[in-house]
Amino acid sequence: GNSSPKLFVTGPFGGGLGAFVNLQKIRAMVFVCAGVGVTPVASMMDMFSSDTRKFVHVVWSFRSMGLFEYLHHHFDKLPDENCNFHFTSKDQPTEFAAKIKAGRPKLPDILADVRGKCKERGLLDIGVFVCGPNPMVVDVLRTTSTLNQEKGQDTYFHVHSESFQM
């Protein structure tokens, strides 16, 4: 006979935003990504950047200007001051040079600054979605843990990490 093949699909297995227990409670999101780790972040930008009640900040570190040129439009709705784009190659960025910083992001400074902006807005629960290489994930976890433990702070970073492993 003419039978159709059976197809079994499972997944996705990453936590994504579902890893945040109460996403409605979190009105501030920081997305930290590197290289192709920007893929899940870019896919979430439309949902977040169109919600004016949410504060969104992106930190993206990349070596390929081609990748930036292909995906940067996903972040166009965010104010420039809410975007930290870091080009880590020795080449010089050209067309987008005004929006891009050279070298790796200084995550402790960036996250402390974001915390201050969130506190000013009364946003005390800050979600952090990080997707990239393990050393960057560890840096984010260490930094947010330190910031969460500072005395007198009523803000709190809730962190979820994902990584692409080859």
Side-chain angles (χ1 to χ4, degrees):
N2 196 7
S3 65
S4 298
K6 289 185 179 180
L7 178 66
F8 298 95
V9 179
T10 61
F13 294 107
L17 293 176
F20 293 103
V21 176
N22 187 350
L23 190 58
Q24 300 307 319
K25 178 181 173 186
I26 297 175
R27 292 187 14 244
M29 282 296 301
V30 181
F31 294 94
V32 182
C33 54
V36 296
V38 73
T39 307
V41 174
S43 72
M44 293 183 260
M45 274 306 106
D46 282 341
M47 177 179 74
F48 276 93
S49 60
S50 61
D51 187 343
T52 57
R53 297 167 300 157
K54 292 205 184 283
F55 175 85
V56 178
H57 195 96
V58 173
V59 181
W60 178 19
S61 178
F62 54 92
R63 286 188 298 229
S64 165
M65 276 308 295
L67 182 64
F68 180 80
E69 290 167 1
Y70 186 72
L71 293 173
H72 78 91
H73 68 276
H74 288 282
F75 308 102
D76 286 348
K77 291 181 184 174
L78 296 178
D80 286 348
E81 64 268 14
N82 290 21
C83 297
N84 286 89
F85 300 133
H86 293 265
F87 186 53
T88 59
S89 174
K90 291 180 176 131
D91 299 330
Q92 293 297 314
T94 54
E95 181 183 349
F96 303 97
K99 288 186 164 195
I100 300 172
K101 297 170 181 68
R104 298 190 185 279
K106 294 182 173 109
L107 290 171
D109 295 344
I110 293 168
L111 291 171
D113 183 58
V114 166
R115 177 179 66 183
K117 290 176 181 177
C118 290
K119 192 171 182 173
E120 287 171 8
R121 292 169 171 82
L123 306 173
L124 304 181
D125 288 292
I126 305 166
V128 180
F129 181 92
V130 57
C131 188
N134 195 51
M136 184 190 73
V137 172
V138 169
D139 193 14
V140 170
L141 291 170
R142 187 178 299 122
T143 299
T144 54
S145 177
T146 299
L147 291 170
N148 283 342
Q149 292 174 30
E150 286 182 359
K151 297 229 182 281
Q153 282 302 320
D154 45 5
T155 56
Y156 192 84
F157 289 97
H158 305 266
V159 181
H160 172 71
S161 64
E162 296 193 4
S163 64
F164 292 108
Q165 300 297 326
M166 298 261 201

